[in-house]
Amino acid sequence: GDSYDEECDYLFKAVLIGDSAVGKSNLLSRFSRDEFRLDSKPTIGVEFAYRNIKVGDKLIKAQIWDTAGQERFRAITSSYYRGALGALLVYDITRRATFDNLKKWLHELREFGNPDIVVILVGNKADIAHSREVEKEDAQNLAEAEGLCFMETSALENLNVEEAFMEMIRKIHKIAS
Ligand code: GDP
Ligand code: MG
């Protein structure tokens, strides 16, 4: 039968964090279902999505958690971070405040997250670069200072979305195996 599909070599949890409306839910729906929504419906966000990925000869099941909009009230609890091996830390390249708030998010990650957590810094909405408020160089400097990987993405145009998640998953796999 097809029971092989149900079995995986590794199951791990990763989380999406970052300010409200930066595109976290759309990055996840693009990665897990290849879907994008123009309207923002934070309260009907799924709790998490799964995707199976083959890395080498291993089957990895990634369980990726999304917020249900509680970041708006700075009310993400420690249980959200518990057991997470990876995080996509997302800001919006067209809203400087979402970049300036990354320090707060990194602080929270260090407080609640696993000390070895793999963090990928993601500058989303690269498709509207004419409204850019955050230079790539600023993000590269932050990433270097904090020891993170950095990528600009567009959930709308499906640019670098797969790459950002896969980079995280490959790094986790390297640490976990
Ligand atoms: P979240 O609050 O971080 O989960 O953000 P959402 O995924 O709900 O997205 C917030 C808004 O930004 C929605 O109106 C989306 O359609 C829009 N959005 C998300 N990603 C992109 C993107 O890559 N490009 C553009 N132009 N808009 C985006
Ligand atoms: Mg959301």
Side-chain angles (χ1 to χ4, degrees), residues 18-27 29 36-42 66-67 69 71-72 90 92 95 124-128 153-158:
D19 280 6
S20 191
V22 295
K24 300 181 296 299
S25 297
N26 275 286
L27 285 165
S29 62
F36 181 84
R37 302 180 61 105
L38 267 172
D39 57 329
S40 187
K41 291 242 171 74
D66 188 14
T67 70
E71 72 275 26
R72 193 166 300 208
V90 188
D92 175 347
R95 280 191 297 142
N124 190 41
K125 309 197 187 180
D127 55 285
I128 34 176
T153 61
S154 167
L156 188 145
E157 290 188 346
N158 199 6

Side-chain angles (χ1 to χ4, degrees), residues 67-81 105 108 112:
T67 70
Q70 62 274 47
E71 72 275 26
R72 193 166 300 208
F73 316 106
R74 297 211 177 286
I76 291 183
T77 57
S78 57
S79 63
Y80 186 72
Y81 294 98
W105 286 110
E108 194 166 299
F112 297 123

